Amino acid sequence: MLSLERLRILHAIGTYGSVTGAANALHVTTSAISQQMAKLEREVGQRLLERSGRGVRLTDTAELLVAHAGQMLSLAERAEADLEAHRGAVVGRLTLAAFATAARGLVPPALGDLRRDHPRLRVGLEEAEPHETVPRVARGDVDVAIVQDWFNHPLALPEELSRAALLDDVADVALPEGHPLAARGTVDIQELAGDPWITWSRGWICNAWLLHTLRSCGAEPDIAHTAAEHHTQLALVAAGLGVAIIPRLGRGPAPGGVRFVEVRPRLVRHVYAVWRADADRRPSIRAVIRALRRHGRAPAG
């Protein structure tokens, strides 16, 4: 009988394209991955990995096993969900991934509720962006992810994922105090299209959204600086180096030298939770979604 855990490792190598990528995703060492693959090769009596430059590639035998492994892991997850549902208890371990502002502004009170109401459930938080977490949820590496998209730039989700709306998060523009529009109650984003912009790192959903939105106004964005953290973006705004869109979720008061001004029409990003549809029956998943929705109901502004 083939080891399901070793098949999981082979599946991860195929998914991430390397032993190192699989080790990082499974939170084990590359040495442990290599040892398990050596055992799996002995079990099947054939080579599964071949050297390819500085990495490895799957053999035809491994590709065949990976295809079966995906189905077997999905069946195992459904079996675990059925057992948990039959038991009816909110217990065990669950991995929750969230983008930075949700990890700061939404997750902590929800985890506090879960710890109080379900002390036998252990939820581990990982901070990561939606473009990283959605594939990991689809593969079963993460149980639940909090993701977001913008009202005019939706995020594509695989069919095998379920979703639940948590909140609509309003965003404002952060302007230096000396900016000509800083004293206004509201501004139109078209009035700022020619300004130098401070935005999120390349590859992030919010970066792509800003480029899409400004280009739809007929202006090619002048991206002066990129920074992953809102605190860094706001420090750059305070220094007069540009303007930035800052959502309200997880946001503190405006730092010195910065004015938050509302944008009309409102800039809204949708925040929601996603999980594998195969796991719908797990009481632990349902408990986490309930806690997140409870703390996401209040509008963010």
Side-chain angles (χ1 to χ4, degrees), residues 7-19 22 49 58 62-63 66 139:
L7 289 175
R8 185 190 303 276
I9 292 171
L10 180 64
H11 188 267
I13 294 172
T15 299
Y16 293 99
S18 70
V19 170
L49 303 178
L58 301 183
E63 294 283 7
V66 165
R139 290 191 296 267

Side-chain angles (χ1 to χ4, degrees), residues 68-86:
H68 286 293
Q71 300 175 41
M72 294 167 67
L73 292 170
S74 180
L75 285 171
E77 183 171 7
R78 287 202 293 272
E80 290 173 354
D82 285 341
L83 285 171
E84 190 176 324
H86 179 72

Side-chain angles (χ1 to χ4, degrees), residues 217-257:
C217 297
E220 183 58 28
D222 175 11
I223 305 300
H225 307 281
T226 63
E229 289 290 333
H230 286 174
H231 295 304
T232 305
Q233 294 180 22
L234 290 173
L236 294 166
V237 173
L241 301 175
V243 302
I245 295 295
I246 305 292
R248 297 179 185 176
L249 178 63
R251 187 176 82 192

Side-chain angles (χ1 to χ4, degrees), residues 163-188:
R163 62 186 287 174
L166 301 179
L167 65 100
D168 283 346
D169 184 23
V170 177
D172 303 302
V173 63
L175 303 175
E177 280 187 340
H179 193 283
L181 302 179
R184 292 262 297 272
T186 61
V187 299
D188 190 306

Side-chain angles (χ1 to χ4, degrees), residues 2-298:
L2 297 176
S3 163
L4 184 61
E5 192 55 39
R6 289 172 194 146
L7 289 175
R8 185 190 303 276
I9 292 171
L10 180 64
H11 188 267
I13 294 172
T15 299
Y16 293 99
S18 70
V19 170
T20 300
N24 290 337
L26 299 175
H27 305 290
V28 298
T29 65
T30 55
S31 175
I33 294 281
S34 298
Q35 290 173 19
Q36 292 301 313
M37 285 301 92
K39 291 179 180 179
L40 185 58
E41 286 184 334
R42 288 197 294 271
E43 287 179 352
V44 300
Q46 297 185 57
R47 291 290 301 274
L48 298 175
L49 303 178
E50 293 180 345
R51 288 288 175 190
S52 177
R54 305 175 98 185
V56 298
R57 72 172 186 86
L58 301 183
T59 65
D60 291 343
T61 300
E63 294 283 7
L64 178 65
L65 279 178
V66 165
H68 286 293
Q71 300 175 41
M72 294 167 67
L73 292 170
S74 180
L75 285 171
E77 183 171 7
R78 287 202 293 272
E80 290 173 354
D82 285 341
L83 285 171
E84 190 176 324
H86 179 72
R87 187 169 51 201
V90 181
V91 299
R93 294 184 177 275
L94 185 147
T95 302
L96 171 66
F99 60 94
T101 49
R104 181 167 63 249
L106 175 60
V107 172
L111 292 187
D113 284 0
L114 289 166
R115 184 175 183 180
R116 181 195 66 228
D117 298 337
H118 305 290
R120 295 172 61 197
L121 176 66
R122 294 289 180 267
V123 181
L125 172 65
E126 296 182 11
E127 187 177 301
E129 288 300 300
H131 69 274
E132 301 169 322
T133 57
V134 167
R136 294 182 65 199
V137 174
R139 290 191 296 267
D141 299 333
V142 169
D143 296 298
V144 179
I146 302 175
V147 301
Q148 45 96 359
D149 59 20
W150 291 87
F151 68 100
N152 60 345
H153 201 247
L155 174 68
L157 290 177
E159 291 183 359
E160 63 267 29
L161 299 190
S162 295
R163 62 186 287 174
L166 301 179
L167 65 100
D168 283 346
D169 184 23
V170 177
D172 303 302
V173 63
L175 303 175
E177 280 187 340
H179 193 283
L181 302 179
R184 292 262 297 272
T186 61
V187 299
D188 190 306
I189 197 168
Q190 291 181 336
E191 298 178 83
L192 300 166
D195 278 67
W197 284 89
I198 298 157
T199 185
W200 298 269
S201 304
R202 290 180 180 84
W204 288 29
I205 284 175
C206 292
N207 178 292
W209 165 80
L210 181 65
L211 297 178
H212 168 80
T213 300
L214 293 176
R215 285 168 180 160
S216 69
C217 297
E220 183 58 28
D222 175 11
I223 305 300
H225 307 281
T226 63
E229 289 290 333
H230 286 174
H231 295 304
T232 305
Q233 294 180 22
L234 290 173
L236 294 166
V237 173
L241 301 175
V243 302
I245 295 295
I246 305 292
R248 297 179 185 176
L249 178 63
R251 187 176 82 192
V258 174
R259 283 288 311 276
F260 289 131
V261 180
E262 290 189 22
V263 180
R264 296 295 184 198
R266 276 191 158 193
L267 302 180
V268 178
R269 62 178 182 171
H270 309 300
V271 180
Y272 46 96
V274 298
W275 64 97
R276 284 181 62 88
D278 288 346
D280 270 335
R281 296 181 301 280
R282 290 177 60 187
S284 58
I285 296 282
R286 295 200 299 268
V288 168
I289 301 304
R290 281 196 302 270
L292 291 171
R293 297 191 80 170
R294 185 183 309 128
H295 289 280
R297 281 178 184 167

